[in-house]
């Protein structure tokens, strides 16, 4: 059922969506790929439904492990008891978009061999183009039912209302393409100058789409960073029907070097282990459970580079991921 349209976020391509809504909600294709909160087994025929997994699925984002071959990542994730991979298929990713047709099936075969899954793909799809078609078509063939799409930027101050309208239309164009390939496009919440930067804003962007057309990718770091008191919880409340993915990560504020030209102290955000940060992970988990979410979680072990509290090697990132996974599982018991 579609929510009452907001006067500020009219649904783009409304004629198309009106004509296809019934097909989307009743078609046999979507029944095979939008089953509750669970995806198909990677490498399985997309026409065959996999049995729903019991409870949630816990995987990890492969960004920090791109210096490892995908089969090695699969084996490492399996050894720490993860269910699978949040695989980067994007520029500078584990798989480049132009290589998706050849390399994604190989990745799915490696995952199956190791006893894990490709849970979903992290892409930079922000408009319909040849690379988007290539990725989505191959994902469908491999039984991958959802992708994280690319980002939209907040630009000129004073024009946010118009930018939200334009971004809603852009999401609609991507959603239309994804429907063609029976893959759910998921919009990630990312703090700072992104659209959306917080949960309530994501609701503004997707409220006129059904959860079968667009999914919400909520984030334990970014939503708390922008709404640390209770904004993150209110965002989850609004997004409940759309939540299809959840990122698990945490952060802290650190005093930066020096002061700005006005003499104000600079501060920096650092990514820290899941149990060590400002984001109230146990409360976040409790809120998701209250909403009935039992879907896919992705550990974002971004412990490399200047945003990490400490520069870790790839092996140290794997070790910390295992610690984070153990902690997160303890909250879900």
């Amino acid at each position: 059922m579609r929510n009452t349209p907001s006067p500020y976020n009219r649904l783009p391509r409304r004629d198309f969506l009106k004509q296809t809504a019934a097909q989307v909600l009743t078609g046999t294709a979507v029944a095979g790929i939008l089953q509750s909160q669970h995806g198909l087994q990677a490498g399985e025929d997309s026409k065959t439904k996999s049995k729903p997994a019991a409870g949630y699925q816990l995987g990890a984002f492969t960004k920090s492990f791109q210096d490892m071959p995908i089969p090695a990542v699969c084996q490492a994730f399996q050894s720490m008891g993860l269910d699978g991979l949040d695989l980067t298929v994007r520029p500078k990713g584990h798989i480049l978009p132009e290589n998706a047709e050849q390399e994604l099936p190989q990745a799915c075969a490696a995952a199956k061999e190791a006893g894990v899954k490709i849970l979903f793909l992290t892409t930079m799809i922000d408009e319909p183009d040849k690379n988007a078609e290539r990725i989505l078509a191959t994902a469908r063939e491999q039984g991958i039912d959802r992708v994280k799409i690319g980002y939209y930027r907040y630009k000129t101050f004073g024009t946010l209302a118009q930018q939200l309208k334009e971004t809603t239309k852009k999401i609609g164009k991507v959603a239309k393409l994804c429907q063609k390939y029976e893959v759910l496009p998921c919009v990630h919440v990312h703090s700072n100058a992104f659209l959306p930067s917080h949960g309530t804003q994501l609701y503004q962007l997707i409220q006129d789409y059904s959860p079968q057309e667009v999914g919400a990718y909520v984030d334990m770091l970014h939503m708390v960073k922008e709404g640390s008191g209770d904004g993150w919880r209110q965002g989850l409340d609004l997004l409940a029907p759309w939540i299809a993915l959840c990122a698990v990560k945490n952060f802290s504020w650190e005093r930066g070097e020096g002061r700005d030209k006005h003499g104000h102290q600079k501060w920096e955000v650092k990514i820290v282990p899941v149990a060590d940060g400002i984001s109230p992970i146990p409360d976040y988990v409790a809120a998701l459970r209250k909403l009935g979410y039992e879907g896919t979680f992705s550990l974002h072990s971004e412990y490399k580079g200047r945003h990490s509290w400490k520069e870790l090697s790839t092996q140290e990132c794997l070790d910390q991921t295992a610690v984070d996974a153990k902690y997160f599982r303890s909250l879900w018991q």
Side-chain angles (χ1 to χ4, degrees), residues 6-308:
S6 161
Y8 303 104
N9 276 331
R10 293 297 181 187
L11 187 64
R13 297 184 179 270
R14 186 172 300 279
D15 290 341
F16 160 76
L17 292 173
K18 282 183 177 179
Q19 292 171 5
T20 60
Q23 296 173 356
V24 170
L25 294 173
T26 62
T28 57
V30 172
I33 61 123
L34 294 173
Q35 41 183 310
S36 182
Q37 301 288 352
H38 305 291
L40 293 174
Q41 172 73 37
E44 183 180 40
D45 188 333
S46 62
K47 296 180 181 179
T48 304
K49 294 182 182 180
S50 63
K51 294 181 180 179
Y56 67 97
Q57 295 183 107
L58 180 61
F61 187 31
T62 66
K63 177 181 177 180
S64 293
F65 310 109
Q66 290 176 176
D67 55 349
M68 298 172 62
I70 291 175
V73 175
C74 293
Q75 293 168 7
F77 284 11
Q78 191 279 334
S79 70
M80 65 180 77
L82 296 179
D83 296 301
L85 288 66
D86 162 4
L87 183 65
T88 54
V89 183
R90 61 185 184 180
K92 299 182 180 180
H94 239 134
I95 296 176
L96 300 179
E98 58 268 27
N99 297 336
E101 292 169 308
Q102 178 181 354
E103 296 183 12
L104 184 53
Q106 295 173 357
C108 290
K112 185 175 182 180
E113 177 68 22
V116 291
K117 305 175 184 179
I118 306 299
L119 297 175
F120 64 98
L121 307 180
T122 287
T123 76
M124 288 300 288
I125 296 172
D126 60 1
E127 62 179 357
D129 59 22
K130 290 183 179 180
N131 277 336
E133 294 240 14
R134 183 177 290 115
I135 293 168
L136 294 169
T138 309
R140 176 185 179 180
E141 290 172 359
Q142 297 301 313
I144 298 169
D145 73 341
R146 62 200 61 199
V147 299
K148 171 188 171 184
I149 66 172
Y151 291 109
Y152 303 98
R153 294 276 184 167
Y154 170 51
K155 298 177 181 178
T156 307
F157 181 75
T159 65
L160 179 57
Q162 183 60 35
Q163 289 182 61
L164 290 174
K165 292 178 183 178
E166 293 171 356
T167 301
T168 297
K169 292 179 181 178
K170 292 176 181 177
I171 292 171
K173 291 178 181 179
V174 173
K176 181 178 179 180
L177 179 65
C178 287
Q179 285 182 339
K180 175 182 176 182
Y181 293 102
E182 303 170 0
V183 174
L184 182 69
C186 300
V187 183
H188 183 226
V189 180
H190 197 296
S191 59
N192 300 332
F194 289 88
L195 299 177
S197 63
H198 54 88
T200 301
Q201 194 174 77
L202 177 54
Y203 174 75
Q204 288 179 278
L205 291 172
I206 68 173
Q207 62 183 306
D208 291 330
Y209 296 103
S210 75
Q212 287 75 30
E213 294 163 340
V214 178
Y217 188 173
V218 297
D219 189 297
M220 294 183 177
L221 184 159
H222 293 296
M223 290 176 70
V224 174
K225 179 173 175 286
E226 293 287 358
S228 59
D230 200 57
W232 62 268
R233 193 194 317 267
Q234 293 174 29
L236 291 178
D237 193 340
L238 289 169
L239 292 169
W242 290 270
I243 299 174
L245 297 170
C246 181
V248 181
K249 50 188 172 180
N250 215 328
F251 74 102
S252 67
W253 288 102
E254 289 190 6
R255 190 182 297 271
E257 294 184 5
R259 296 174 177 268
D260 66 17
K261 63 181 181 180
H262 304 290
H264 195 87
Q265 176 64 51
K266 294 180 179 179
W267 292 87
E268 297 179 348
V269 168
K270 297 292 184 180
I271 297 176
V272 302
V274 174
D276 296 348
I278 291 171
S279 182
I281 304 296
D283 292 343
Y284 202 108
V285 167
L288 286 174
R289 296 192 72 165
K290 190 170 184 178
L291 294 175
Y293 180 72
E294 291 189 344
T296 299
F297 293 89
S298 175
L299 294 162
H300 281 221
S301 306
E302 298 181 53
Y303 303 129
K304 295 180 178 180
R306 66 185 183 88
H307 293 298
S308 177

